Amino acid sequence: MDPLDFLTNEELLFLFHRKKTEISYIEQPHRLLTQLRDHDLVSEKLFENVKKMRSREQKEKGFYEVLDWVEKKRPQYMHQFWRCVFEDHILQLYPTLRILRNSLLDGTFKLYEKPPDVETLTEEEESEGKGEKGKKKSYTRKRSKDDRSSEDSDDPGPSSASTPKRRKPAKKPSFSSPVKKGDKQEIWMWPIYKIQLPVTCGDKEGTLYRDKLPEGKKCILSQGRWFTPADFEKFAGKEKCKNWKSSIRCRNTPLKKLIEEEHLQCPPMERRKRTCVQKNMRFPVSSSESSSADLETSSSLLEESDSEDFQEQGGRGEGTEFRGRVEEEEEEEDMADLSVFQAPSLPVTCVSLTGTLYKYRFASGSRGKCVRTEERWFTLEEFVKQEPTLTDGHWKKDILCHGKTLNFLLKKKILRIHSLLCECAKCSTQKEDVMAQNNDDECYVCHSEGALVCCDECPQAFHSHCHLPTVDEDSPGEWICTFCVLRNSQQWRDSSNISEQEAFKAPVSQHILHCHCLLLCVYREDIQKVFVEDPRQTVPRYSEIITQPMWLDRIKQKLESGEYQTVGAFVSDFQLIFSNCSTFNRVRFTETCYIINKSPNN
């Protein structure tokens, strides 16, 4: 079931009201606007008005006005709005929306928070006199900037600050808390998590189905597989803890706490308890010490023999400290082989985030943008802040590499923190040095270094001659690569609505961006440069076997000179490269087998 089904239209409208300013600041909102227009949530007139805007400031303002219009004119369609916004192809384009969706599902965003009542004034505030009116006016202007939809369409008069009743028609619905005032609101008490809960163990994430847990069945779904709690603990690399109730957490709270407070029910364990009692009978103890000794020995044996039991770990507030202790002890014990950390780049995770850590770029937590994601480069501290579920995260403890914290890598001298007095480019605070870290250090196409041209919208960089079309290095102003141009253009949306046959018949001139991107991607994948140059110059007997040779540089030349009339002709030359390769290798293999069979030593 869609998690949005658990929320009322009023709750989703409240979410929309609180987040529309944040949404209005996303870059390149055209795709999202198109999505809303196609689902009849935005009128064609509003869509065209924003489309005509050129500057970024105009687009932000225009997009906010569109969202404000949706809130006022389409408040009953909030379920439809959020389903459009949370579709996969939209979330891939806009990191802001991904973070927003995660905060909604994991409970970081408080749906039950009651908004401040701007109508309520105490008698003291009403009698403060003219001196305070100026203060109230400045507050009103500030609020109108942050929350423009709360004002009426007409400009307020001089008395608006002291006469808040004029805002009543624009008042937003408030929501009562599901818990008593003063209690901490927890996501496992919300209706949306009545059936399932988001859980984590180490660097693995899963979904716990609450009704399956007391039955002793596989109740945790992660990466398309079902696990029992103990198996999920092993899957996350935490089998040495032997304590799934403490190692598996929901929003940093151990399941043990939820079981103790009867939010979750635990499967019965009578059989295992009987086994432990029998083991305790091996130890002769005096009658005065019997009860306490039995209790302590039973508890320790229960932990050693059963991965589904746990020790007492104190209050809930010590959860993070306990996690750190367990991980440090585990890391000191079981990591004799460090070969997995010898690569120049390492995969890293931070709860739901994934990236690649490049060791040569690392300087410290705040210096050296060393983590590369699909969107951009981050320092380690910046990377941790991208995870919405961590409110007090620390890069040494919360970023994991092969199941180990970065603190472990520092202790093993796999990573080395630079001195505070270091003056290298990675530690520099000069604007040019910091800007240089926003892009890759090697060409996206040929994987080599040199004089690179950097894209101003994505982390990619290119040699001017590797990029298509070739880049004029002397051209002033900002520059964006072909991939970003295509991603931002109308062609990206239009091309998804045509069939393969229609695409092959289409003129190359109408789809030149697609052709450039395809050729750049093939160049990038041919790391050994097997198909780049003319094979007749380097491969013996190639001309004897292949009558119509083709290679990537030849395709590039034909594309730039306008020799291709249709997309189909362009694609057929790629197919010719691969069919030539297959034919040549098949003939040579047959000849080799024949020679071997004729050999007298065979």
Side-chain angles (χ1 to χ4, degrees), residues 321-389:
E321 183 183 346
F322 167 68
R323 176 189 65 185
R325 283 202 307 272
V326 170
E327 288 178 353
E328 286 179 7
E329 291 170 4
E330 174 193 1
E331 289 163 356
E332 292 295 339
E333 288 175 4
D334 69 348
M335 275 305 298
D337 181 17
L338 302 178
S339 60
V340 293
F341 300 109
Q342 300 309 313
S345 60
L346 301 171
V348 291
T349 60
C350 181
V351 191
S352 63
L353 303 177
T354 59
T356 303
L357 169 63
Y358 289 81
K359 293 193 286 188
Y360 77 94
R361 272 179 166 246
F362 171 73
S364 68
S366 59
R367 294 174 294 161
K369 295 188 177 184
C370 57
V371 177
R372 170 73 146 82
T373 66
E374 292 183 2
E375 292 85 16
R376 55 172 289 195
W377 285 93
F378 295 98
T379 65
L380 294 172
E381 288 184 357
E382 291 171 343
F383 185 60
V384 170
K385 289 178 182 177
Q386 301 305 305
E387 174 50 53
T389 62

Side-chain angles (χ1 to χ4, degrees), residues 20 43 101 106 251 269 279 332 350 394 424 436 556 562:
K20 66 179 178 180
S43 66
R101 185 177 187 273
D106 63 24
R251 284 197 68 195
M269 299 169 57
K279 287 183 180 180
E332 292 295 339
C350 181
H394 193 283
C424 71
K556 179 180 178 180

Side-chain angles (χ1 to χ4, degrees), residues 170-210:
K171 183 183 175 184
K172 301 302 170 187
S174 61
F175 304 94
S176 58
S177 170
V179 293
K180 294 180 180 179
K181 185 176 181 180
D183 292 347
K184 192 172 182 179
Q185 301 170 359
E186 303 295 2
I187 66 171
W188 44 83
M189 299 176 66
W190 295 6
I192 189 174
Y193 294 112
K194 185 177 181 180
I195 299 176
Q196 58 198 42
L197 284 175
V199 292
T200 59
C201 184
D203 61 342
K204 302 296 183 185
E205 295 180 322
T207 302
L208 169 66
Y209 286 77
R210 303 173 76 154

Side-chain angles (χ1 to χ4, degrees), residues 128-187:
E128 283 182 354
K130 294 181 180 180
E132 290 294 327
K133 287 185 180 180
K135 254 188 211 177
K136 293 178 184 177
K137 285 184 181 179
S138 65
Y139 172 78
T140 303
R141 285 196 296 273
K142 185 177 179 182
R143 179 170 177 79
S144 67
K145 181 179 177 182
D146 295 337
D147 190 2
R148 285 165 271 190
S149 66
S150 66
E151 302 288 349
D152 294 328
S153 58
D154 298 329
D155 293 334
S159 63
S160 60
S162 60
T163 316
K165 291 183 179 179
R166 293 183 59 186
R167 298 183 191 173
K168 188 170 184 180
K171 183 183 175 184
K172 301 302 170 187
S174 61
F175 304 94
S176 58
S177 170
V179 293
K180 294 180 180 179
K181 185 176 181 180
D183 292 347
K184 192 172 182 179
Q185 301 170 359
E186 303 295 2
I187 66 171

Side-chain angles (χ1 to χ4, degrees), residues 545-546 578-592:
I545 300 172
I546 303 300
F578 302 131
S579 64
N580 285 347
C581 179
S582 176
T583 301
F584 180 80
N585 287 318
R586 185 171 60 250
V587 171
R588 291 301 304 271
F589 178 77
T590 303
E591 291 176 350
T592 303

Side-chain angles (χ1 to χ4, degrees), residues 512-528:
I512 190 66
L513 285 174
H514 295 86
C515 295
H516 281 160
C517 288
L518 175 60
L519 186 51
L520 287 173
C521 288
V522 177
Y523 267 117
R524 174 177 172 79
E525 295 303 319
D526 186 13
I527 298 175
Q528 302 298 326

Side-chain angles (χ1 to χ4, degrees), residues 225-237:
R225 297 168 56 190
W226 284 94
F227 299 92
T228 63
D231 290 339
F232 183 62
E233 184 182 50
K234 293 178 182 177
F235 178 62

